[in-house]
Amino acid sequence: MINYRHTGIYVNNLDKQTDFYMRTFNMIPVCLNNSEHNDMLDDLFKIENVEILTTKLITELGKQKGIGDMIELIKVISFQQELCIDNSVVYANGAMHLAIAVDDIEKTCSLATQNGGQLMTDIHIINNKNKCSFVRDPEGNWIEIIQNMR
């Protein structure tokens, strides 16, 4: 059996990003600022003694189900690396977006901007009749916000 667990997002300001996702999407902390150092990280980053801080946030539904619906915010604290991904446009190779379902898209888009995010599109009715909009979090990561209208 396969299940989708989480999406990892590398961030510069862990506290600011944590605050954004908790306030905008009412996400619940699973762990906050958890320090990690292990051989797997050294292998992944191809240098020794890598240390990261991670914060894991889960949706209310994810908490009820006990699995999935989670993001992992990751701050590399041992070194700074220039990211080679151009996330200035959502369709750039290597860019990604999260899709988050909400009950009230207007309220959520407003919360996103109030908490340091940027509204990138108006709210539209898409082909499946759902409402949809794109925002960016305070560090520019793309988020698709969807309200199911059925």
Side-chain angles (χ1 to χ4, degrees), residues 27-83:
M27 297 188 91
I28 304 158
V30 173
C31 68
L32 293 169
N33 298 325
N34 185 39
S35 177
E36 293 184 46
H37 171 264
N38 56 51
D39 291 338
M40 195 266 314
L41 290 172
D42 291 350
D43 186 28
L44 178 66
F45 286 89
K46 305 300 183 209
I47 62 171
E48 292 183 14
N49 301 316
V50 173
E51 185 177 359
I52 63 172
L53 294 177
T54 60
T55 290
K56 294 181 181 179
L57 303 172
I58 196 165
T59 65
E60 292 175 13
L61 181 60
K63 186 173 181 179
Q64 289 173 7
K65 293 188 312 186
I67 194 163
D69 273 10
M70 187 165 50
I71 61 171
E72 178 181 38
L73 302 174
I74 306 159
K75 168 71 176 166
V76 180
I77 58 175
S78 291
F79 73 100
Q80 283 297 323
Q81 169 182 332
E82 290 294 322
L83 296 179

Short mmCIF file of all heavy atoms in Angstrom, two decimals, residues 27-83:
data_model
loop_
_atom_site.label_atom_id
_atom_site.label_comp_id
_atom_site.label_asym_id
_atom_site.label_seq_id
_atom_site.Cartn_x
_atom_site.Cartn_y
_atom_site.Cartn_z
N MET A 27 -3.21 25.06 10.45
CA MET A 27 -2.46 23.82 10.57
C MET A 27 -1.97 23.65 12.00
O MET A 27 -1.73 24.63 12.71
CB MET A 27 -1.32 23.77 9.57
CG MET A 27 -1.83 23.79 8.13
SD MET A 27 -0.56 23.51 6.91
CE MET A 27 -0.67 21.72 6.77
N ILE A 28 -1.83 22.41 12.41
CA ILE A 28 -1.50 22.04 13.78
C ILE A 28 -0.07 21.53 13.83
O ILE A 28 0.31 20.66 13.03
CB ILE A 28 -2.47 20.94 14.27
CG1 ILE A 28 -3.92 21.43 14.12
CG2 ILE A 28 -2.15 20.51 15.69
CD1 ILE A 28 -4.93 20.30 14.06
N PRO A 29 0.75 22.02 14.77
CA PRO A 29 2.13 21.54 14.84
C PRO A 29 2.20 20.09 15.31
O PRO A 29 1.55 19.71 16.28
CB PRO A 29 2.81 22.46 15.86
CG PRO A 29 1.80 23.43 16.32
CD PRO A 29 0.49 23.10 15.71
N VAL A 30 2.99 19.30 14.61
CA VAL A 30 3.33 17.95 15.04
C VAL A 30 4.65 18.03 15.81
O VAL A 30 4.82 17.41 16.84
CB VAL A 30 3.46 16.99 13.84
CG1 VAL A 30 3.97 15.63 14.25
CG2 VAL A 30 2.11 16.87 13.12
N CYS A 31 5.59 18.82 15.28
CA CYS A 31 6.83 19.14 15.99
C CYS A 31 7.28 20.51 15.52
O CYS A 31 7.01 20.92 14.39
CB CYS A 31 7.91 18.08 15.75
SG CYS A 31 8.55 18.01 14.08
N LEU A 32 7.96 21.24 16.40
CA LEU A 32 8.43 22.59 16.09
C LEU A 32 9.94 22.67 16.29
O LEU A 32 10.46 22.26 17.34
CB LEU A 32 7.75 23.62 17.02
CG LEU A 32 6.26 23.82 16.84
CD1 LEU A 32 5.69 24.65 17.98
CD2 LEU A 32 5.97 24.48 15.50
N ASN A 33 10.64 23.19 15.29
CA ASN A 33 12.08 23.44 15.38
C ASN A 33 12.87 22.24 15.88
O ASN A 33 13.74 22.35 16.73
CB ASN A 33 12.35 24.67 16.27
CG ASN A 33 11.73 25.93 15.71
OD1 ASN A 33 11.66 26.13 14.51
ND2 ASN A 33 11.25 26.78 16.60
N ASN A 34 12.56 21.07 15.33
CA ASN A 34 13.23 19.84 15.71
C ASN A 34 14.60 19.78 15.04
O ASN A 34 14.70 19.78 13.82
CB ASN A 34 12.37 18.64 15.29
CG ASN A 34 12.92 17.33 15.75
OD1 ASN A 34 13.42 17.23 16.85
ND2 ASN A 34 12.84 16.32 14.90
N SER A 35 15.67 19.73 15.84
CA SER A 35 17.03 19.67 15.30
C SER A 35 17.35 18.25 14.87
O SER A 35 17.09 17.29 15.61
CB SER A 35 18.02 20.13 16.36
OG SER A 35 19.34 20.02 15.88
N GLU A 36 17.91 18.13 13.66
CA GLU A 36 18.28 16.81 13.15
C GLU A 36 19.68 16.85 12.56
O GLU A 36 20.05 17.81 11.88
CB GLU A 36 17.31 16.35 12.05
CG GLU A 36 15.90 16.08 12.53
CD GLU A 36 15.04 15.53 11.41
OE1 GLU A 36 15.50 14.63 10.67
OE2 GLU A 36 13.91 16.03 11.26
N HIS A 37 20.45 15.82 12.83
CA HIS A 37 21.74 15.60 12.19
C HIS A 37 21.93 14.10 12.09
O HIS A 37 21.80 13.39 13.10
CB HIS A 37 22.88 16.23 12.99
CG HIS A 37 24.22 15.81 12.44
ND1 HIS A 37 24.94 14.78 12.96
CD2 HIS A 37 24.93 16.29 11.40
CE1 HIS A 37 26.04 14.62 12.27
NE2 HIS A 37 26.06 15.53 11.31
N ASN A 38 22.17 13.60 10.89
CA ASN A 38 22.40 12.17 10.72
C ASN A 38 23.14 11.92 9.42
O ASN A 38 23.33 12.82 8.61
CB ASN A 38 21.07 11.39 10.80
CG ASN A 38 20.06 11.87 9.79
OD1 ASN A 38 20.36 11.99 8.60
ND2 ASN A 38 18.84 12.17 10.25
N ASP A 39 23.58 10.68 9.26
CA ASP A 39 24.35 10.30 8.07
C ASP A 39 23.55 10.49 6.78
O ASP A 39 24.11 10.82 5.73
CB ASP A 39 24.82 8.85 8.18
CG ASP A 39 25.87 8.67 9.25
OD1 ASP A 39 26.53 9.66 9.62
OD2 ASP A 39 26.04 7.52 9.73
N MET A 40 22.26 10.25 6.84
CA MET A 40 21.43 10.41 5.64
C MET A 40 21.46 11.86 5.15
O MET A 40 21.56 12.11 3.95
CB MET A 40 19.99 9.98 5.93
CG MET A 40 19.14 9.78 4.68
SD MET A 40 18.15 11.18 4.11
CE MET A 40 17.39 11.78 5.56
N LEU A 41 21.44 12.83 6.07
CA LEU A 41 21.50 14.24 5.68
C LEU A 41 22.86 14.57 5.05
O LEU A 41 22.93 15.28 4.04
CB LEU A 41 21.25 15.15 6.88
CG LEU A 41 19.82 15.17 7.41
CD1 LEU A 41 19.75 15.95 8.71
CD2 LEU A 41 18.86 15.73 6.39
N ASP A 42 23.94 14.04 5.63
CA ASP A 42 25.27 14.26 5.05
C ASP A 42 25.32 13.70 3.63
O ASP A 42 25.88 14.31 2.72
CB ASP A 42 26.34 13.60 5.91
CG ASP A 42 26.52 14.28 7.26
OD1 ASP A 42 25.96 15.37 7.47
OD2 ASP A 42 27.23 13.70 8.11
N ASP A 43 24.72 12.52 3.43
CA ASP A 43 24.70 11.89 2.12
C ASP A 43 23.85 12.71 1.15
O ASP A 43 24.23 12.96 0.00
CB ASP A 43 24.16 10.47 2.24
CG ASP A 43 24.24 9.68 0.94
OD1 ASP A 43 25.13 9.97 0.11
OD2 ASP A 43 23.40 8.78 0.77
N LEU A 44 22.69 13.19 1.60
CA LEU A 44 21.79 13.97 0.76
C LEU A 44 22.43 15.28 0.30
O LEU A 44 22.36 15.65 -0.86
CB LEU A 44 20.48 14.26 1.52
CG LEU A 44 19.44 15.11 0.81
CD1 LEU A 44 18.89 14.38 -0.40
CD2 LEU A 44 18.31 15.46 1.78
N PHE A 45 23.07 15.99 1.23
CA PHE A 45 23.65 17.30 0.92
C PHE A 45 25.09 17.21 0.41
O PHE A 45 25.67 18.21 0.00
CB PHE A 45 23.58 18.21 2.15
CG PHE A 45 22.19 18.72 2.42
CD1 PHE A 45 21.34 18.00 3.23
CD2 PHE A 45 21.75 19.90 1.87
CE1 PHE A 45 20.05 18.46 3.48
CE2 PHE A 45 20.47 20.37 2.12
CZ PHE A 45 19.62 19.64 2.92
N LYS A 46 25.67 16.04 0.48
CA LYS A 46 27.03 15.78 -0.02
C LYS A 46 28.11 16.58 0.73
O LYS A 46 29.14 16.93 0.17
CB LYS A 46 27.15 16.04 -1.53
CG LYS A 46 26.16 15.26 -2.37
CD LYS A 46 26.32 13.77 -2.21
CE LYS A 46 25.37 13.01 -3.12
NZ LYS A 46 24.98 11.72 -2.59
N ILE A 47 27.86 16.88 2.00
CA ILE A 47 28.87 17.47 2.88
C ILE A 47 28.67 16.85 4.27
O ILE A 47 27.62 16.26 4.56
CB ILE A 47 28.77 19.01 2.97
CG1 ILE A 47 27.44 19.44 3.56
CG2 ILE A 47 29.03 19.66 1.64
CD1 ILE A 47 27.36 20.92 3.88
N GLU A 48 29.66 16.99 5.12
CA GLU A 48 29.57 16.41 6.46
C GLU A 48 28.97 17.39 7.45
O GLU A 48 29.07 18.61 7.28
CB GLU A 48 30.96 15.98 6.94
CG GLU A 48 31.52 14.82 6.15
CD GLU A 48 32.85 14.35 6.68
OE1 GLU A 48 33.24 14.73 7.80
OE2 GLU A 48 33.52 13.60 5.95
N ASN A 49 28.37 16.83 8.49
CA ASN A 49 27.86 17.59 9.63
C ASN A 49 26.74 18.57 9.28
O ASN A 49 26.68 19.67 9.80
CB ASN A 49 28.99 18.32 10.35
CG ASN A 49 30.03 17.37 10.85
OD1 ASN A 49 29.70 16.33 11.41
ND2 ASN A 49 31.29 17.69 10.63
N VAL A 50 25.86 18.15 8.39
CA VAL A 50 24.70 18.97 8.07
C VAL A 50 23.73 18.91 9.24
O VAL A 50 23.47 17.85 9.80
CB VAL A 50 24.00 18.47 6.80
CG1 VAL A 50 22.71 19.22 6.57
CG2 VAL A 50 24.92 18.60 5.60
N GLU A 51 23.20 20.05 9.60
CA GLU A 51 22.17 20.11 10.63
C GLU A 51 20.99 20.88 10.08
O GLU A 51 21.16 21.90 9.42
CB GLU A 51 22.68 20.79 11.90
CG GLU A 51 21.67 20.77 13.03
CD GLU A 51 22.21 21.37 14.32
OE1 GLU A 51 23.38 21.79 14.34
OE2 GLU A 51 21.43 21.44 15.29
N ILE A 52 19.80 20.37 10.34
CA ILE A 52 18.58 21.04 9.90
C ILE A 52 17.64 21.21 11.09
O ILE A 52 17.74 20.48 12.08
CB ILE A 52 17.86 20.27 8.77
CG1 ILE A 52 17.38 18.90 9.24
CG2 ILE A 52 18.74 20.17 7.54
CD1 ILE A 52 16.49 18.16 8.24
N LEU A 53 16.75 22.16 10.97
CA LEU A 53 15.62 22.31 11.88
C LEU A 53 14.37 22.00 11.07
O LEU A 53 14.22 22.48 9.94
CB LEU A 53 15.51 23.73 12.43
CG LEU A 53 16.63 24.20 13.34
CD1 LEU A 53 16.41 25.66 13.73
CD2 LEU A 53 16.71 23.33 14.59
N THR A 54 13.49 21.20 11.63
CA THR A 54 12.24 20.89 10.93
C THR A 54 11.05 21.21 11.80
O THR A 54 11.07 21.02 13.02
CB THR A 54 12.15 19.40 10.51
OG1 THR A 54 12.21 18.58 11.67
CG2 THR A 54 13.27 19.02 9.57
N THR A 55 10.03 21.69 11.15
CA THR A 55 8.72 21.88 11.76
C THR A 55 7.73 21.14 10.89
O THR A 55 7.70 21.34 9.67
CB THR A 55 8.36 23.37 11.85
OG1 THR A 55 9.21 23.98 12.84
CG2 THR A 55 6.91 23.58 12.24
N LYS A 56 6.94 20.27 11.49
CA LYS A 56 5.92 19.54 10.76
C LYS A 56 4.56 20.06 11.19
O LYS A 56 4.26 20.17 12.37
CB LYS A 56 6.03 18.04 11.02
CG LYS A 56 7.32 17.46 10.47
CD LYS A 56 7.43 15.98 10.71
CE LYS A 56 8.75 15.47 10.16
NZ LYS A 56 8.93 14.04 10.38
N LEU A 57 3.73 20.38 10.19
CA LEU A 57 2.39 20.91 10.42
C LEU A 57 1.39 20.03 9.70
O LEU A 57 1.62 19.63 8.55
CB LEU A 57 2.29 22.35 9.90
CG LEU A 57 3.28 23.35 10.49
CD1 LEU A 57 3.20 24.67 9.74
CD2 LEU A 57 3.03 23.55 11.97
N ILE A 58 0.28 19.75 10.35
CA ILE A 58 -0.73 18.86 9.78
C ILE A 58 -2.09 19.56 9.78
O ILE A 58 -2.36 20.40 10.63
CB ILE A 58 -0.77 17.53 10.57
CG1 ILE A 58 -1.50 16.43 9.80
CG2 ILE A 58 -1.35 17.71 11.97
CD1 ILE A 58 -1.26 15.03 10.34
N THR A 59 -2.91 19.21 8.81
CA THR A 59 -4.27 19.76 8.78
C THR A 59 -5.12 19.06 9.84
O THR A 59 -4.76 18.00 10.36
CB THR A 59 -4.93 19.56 7.40
OG1 THR A 59 -5.10 18.16 7.18
CG2 THR A 59 -4.11 20.19 6.30
N GLU A 60 -6.27 19.64 10.12
CA GLU A 60 -7.20 19.02 11.08
C GLU A 60 -7.60 17.63 10.60
O GLU A 60 -7.67 16.68 11.38
CB GLU A 60 -8.42 19.91 11.28
CG GLU A 60 -8.10 21.21 11.99
CD GLU A 60 -9.29 22.15 12.08
OE1 GLU A 60 -10.43 21.73 11.81
OE2 GLU A 60 -9.07 23.32 12.43
N LEU A 61 -7.87 17.50 9.29
CA LEU A 61 -8.25 16.20 8.74
C LEU A 61 -7.10 15.20 8.84
O LEU A 61 -7.31 14.04 9.18
CB LEU A 61 -8.70 16.33 7.28
CG LEU A 61 -9.15 15.04 6.60
CD1 LEU A 61 -10.35 14.41 7.32
CD2 LEU A 61 -9.50 15.32 5.14
N GLY A 62 -5.89 15.64 8.55
CA GLY A 62 -4.73 14.77 8.69
C GLY A 62 -4.57 14.27 10.11
O GLY A 62 -4.24 13.11 10.35
N LYS A 63 -4.82 15.15 11.07
CA LYS A 63 -4.72 14.74 12.48
C LYS A 63 -5.80 13.71 12.81
O LYS A 63 -5.54 12.73 13.49
CB LYS A 63 -4.84 15.96 13.39
CG LYS A 63 -4.62 15.62 14.85
CD LYS A 63 -4.57 16.85 15.71
CE LYS A 63 -4.31 16.41 17.15
NZ LYS A 63 -4.21 17.52 18.06
N GLN A 64 -7.01 13.92 12.29
CA GLN A 64 -8.10 12.96 12.52
C GLN A 64 -7.77 11.60 11.92
O GLN A 64 -7.99 10.57 12.54
CB GLN A 64 -9.42 13.47 11.93
CG GLN A 64 -10.03 14.62 12.66
CD GLN A 64 -11.24 15.19 11.92
OE1 GLN A 64 -11.70 14.64 10.92
NE2 GLN A 64 -11.76 16.31 12.41
N LYS A 65 -7.23 11.61 10.68
CA LYS A 65 -6.90 10.36 9.99
C LYS A 65 -5.65 9.72 10.57
O LYS A 65 -5.47 8.51 10.46
CB LYS A 65 -6.68 10.60 8.49
CG LYS A 65 -7.93 11.02 7.74
CD LYS A 65 -7.73 11.06 6.24
CE LYS A 65 -6.49 11.78 5.80
NZ LYS A 65 -6.34 11.96 4.37
N GLY A 66 -4.77 10.54 11.15
CA GLY A 66 -3.53 10.03 11.70
C GLY A 66 -2.43 9.83 10.68
O GLY A 66 -1.40 9.25 10.98
N ILE A 67 -2.65 10.34 9.46
CA ILE A 67 -1.65 10.18 8.41
C ILE A 67 -1.91 11.18 7.29
O ILE A 67 -3.06 11.53 7.01
CB ILE A 67 -1.65 8.74 7.85
CG1 ILE A 67 -0.40 8.49 7.01
CG2 ILE A 67 -2.91 8.44 7.08
CD1 ILE A 67 -0.14 7.03 6.78
N GLY A 68 -0.84 11.64 6.66
CA GLY A 68 -0.96 12.53 5.50
C GLY A 68 -1.41 13.93 5.85
O GLY A 68 -1.47 14.31 7.01
N ASP A 69 -1.68 14.73 4.82
CA ASP A 69 -2.11 16.12 4.96
C ASP A 69 -1.10 16.94 5.77
O ASP A 69 -1.48 17.75 6.60
CB ASP A 69 -3.50 16.20 5.61
CG ASP A 69 -4.63 16.10 4.61
OD1 ASP A 69 -4.36 15.78 3.45
OD2 ASP A 69 -5.78 16.35 4.99
N MET A 70 0.18 16.72 5.52
CA MET A 70 1.20 17.36 6.33
C MET A 70 2.24 18.04 5.44
O MET A 70 2.54 17.58 4.35
CB MET A 70 1.89 16.31 7.21
CG MET A 70 2.85 16.89 8.21
SD MET A 70 3.35 15.74 9.54
CE MET A 70 3.83 14.29 8.64
N ILE A 71 2.76 19.17 5.95
CA ILE A 71 3.92 19.79 5.33
C ILE A 71 5.06 19.77 6.34
O ILE A 71 4.85 19.78 7.56
CB ILE A 71 3.66 21.23 4.84
CG1 ILE A 71 3.28 22.15 5.99
CG2 ILE A 71 2.64 21.26 3.74
CD1 ILE A 71 3.22 23.61 5.60
N GLU A 72 6.28 19.72 5.81
CA GLU A 72 7.48 19.74 6.64
C GLU A 72 8.31 20.94 6.19
O GLU A 72 8.78 20.99 5.06
CB GLU A 72 8.26 18.44 6.45
CG GLU A 72 9.54 18.38 7.23
CD GLU A 72 10.29 17.07 6.99
OE1 GLU A 72 10.28 16.57 5.84
OE2 GLU A 72 10.87 16.57 7.94
N LEU A 73 8.43 21.92 7.07
CA LEU A 73 9.23 23.11 6.78
C LEU A 73 10.65 22.82 7.26
O LEU A 73 10.85 22.41 8.41
CB LEU A 73 8.65 24.33 7.50
CG LEU A 73 7.20 24.66 7.15
CD1 LEU A 73 6.68 25.79 8.03
CD2 LEU A 73 7.04 25.00 5.68
N ILE A 74 11.63 23.03 6.38
CA ILE A 74 13.00 22.62 6.67
C ILE A 74 13.93 23.82 6.54
O ILE A 74 13.98 24.47 5.50
CB ILE A 74 13.46 21.52 5.69
CG1 ILE A 74 12.48 20.36 5.70
CG2 ILE A 74 14.89 21.07 6.01
CD1 ILE A 74 12.54 19.50 4.45
N LYS A 75 14.68 24.09 7.60
CA LYS A 75 15.68 25.15 7.61
C LYS A 75 17.05 24.49 7.75
O LYS A 75 17.31 23.81 8.74
CB LYS A 75 15.43 26.11 8.78
CG LYS A 75 16.55 27.08 9.07
CD LYS A 75 16.69 28.12 8.02
CE LYS A 75 17.76 29.13 8.42
NZ LYS A 75 18.17 29.96 7.34
N VAL A 76 17.90 24.64 6.74
CA VAL A 76 19.27 24.13 6.82
C VAL A 76 20.07 25.15 7.60
O VAL A 76 20.14 26.31 7.21
CB VAL A 76 19.87 23.91 5.41
CG1 VAL A 76 21.29 23.39 5.51
CG2 VAL A 76 19.00 22.96 4.60
N ILE A 77 20.66 24.72 8.74
CA ILE A 77 21.37 25.70 9.57
C ILE A 77 22.88 25.54 9.55
O ILE A 77 23.59 26.38 10.05
CB ILE A 77 20.85 25.67 11.03
CG1 ILE A 77 21.01 24.30 11.66
CG2 ILE A 77 19.41 26.13 11.10
CD1 ILE A 77 20.63 24.25 13.13
N SER A 78 23.40 24.49 8.92
CA SER A 78 24.85 24.30 8.88
C SER A 78 25.52 25.10 7.78
O SER A 78 26.68 25.45 7.87
CB SER A 78 25.19 22.82 8.68
OG SER A 78 24.86 22.10 9.84
N PHE A 79 24.80 25.36 6.72
CA PHE A 79 25.37 26.12 5.61
C PHE A 79 24.24 26.72 4.81
O PHE A 79 23.10 26.30 4.94
CB PHE A 79 26.25 25.24 4.72
CG PHE A 79 25.47 24.29 3.86
CD1 PHE A 79 25.22 24.57 2.53
CD2 PHE A 79 24.96 23.12 4.39
CE1 PHE A 79 24.49 23.69 1.74
CE2 PHE A 79 24.22 22.24 3.60
CZ PHE A 79 23.98 22.52 2.28
N GLN A 80 24.56 27.70 4.02
CA GLN A 80 23.55 28.28 3.14
C GLN A 80 23.84 27.84 1.71
O GLN A 80 24.98 27.82 1.28
CB GLN A 80 23.56 29.81 3.20
CG GLN A 80 22.89 30.35 4.44
CD GLN A 80 21.41 29.99 4.50
OE1 GLN A 80 20.72 29.95 3.49
NE2 GLN A 80 20.93 29.70 5.69
N GLN A 81 22.84 27.47 1.02
CA GLN A 81 22.97 26.98 -0.35
C GLN A 81 22.09 27.83 -1.24
O GLN A 81 20.94 28.09 -0.90
CB GLN A 81 22.53 25.52 -0.36
CG GLN A 81 22.35 24.91 -1.71
CD GLN A 81 21.85 23.47 -1.58
OE1 GLN A 81 22.10 22.80 -0.60
NE2 GLN A 81 21.13 23.02 -2.58
N GLU A 82 22.62 28.28 -2.34
CA GLU A 82 21.81 29.02 -3.30
C GLU A 82 20.90 28.04 -4.03
O GLU A 82 21.38 27.06 -4.59
CB GLU A 82 22.71 29.73 -4.33
CG GLU A 82 23.50 30.88 -3.75
CD GLU A 82 22.63 32.02 -3.30
OE1 GLU A 82 21.63 32.33 -3.97
OE2 GLU A 82 22.94 32.61 -2.25
N LEU A 83 19.62 28.27 -3.99
CA LEU A 83 18.70 27.41 -4.70
C LEU A 83 18.72 27.76 -6.18
O LEU A 83 18.73 28.93 -6.54
CB LEU A 83 17.28 27.56 -4.14
CG LEU A 83 17.09 27.12 -2.70
CD1 LEU A 83 15.65 27.36 -2.27
CD2 LEU A 83 17.45 25.66 -2.53
#
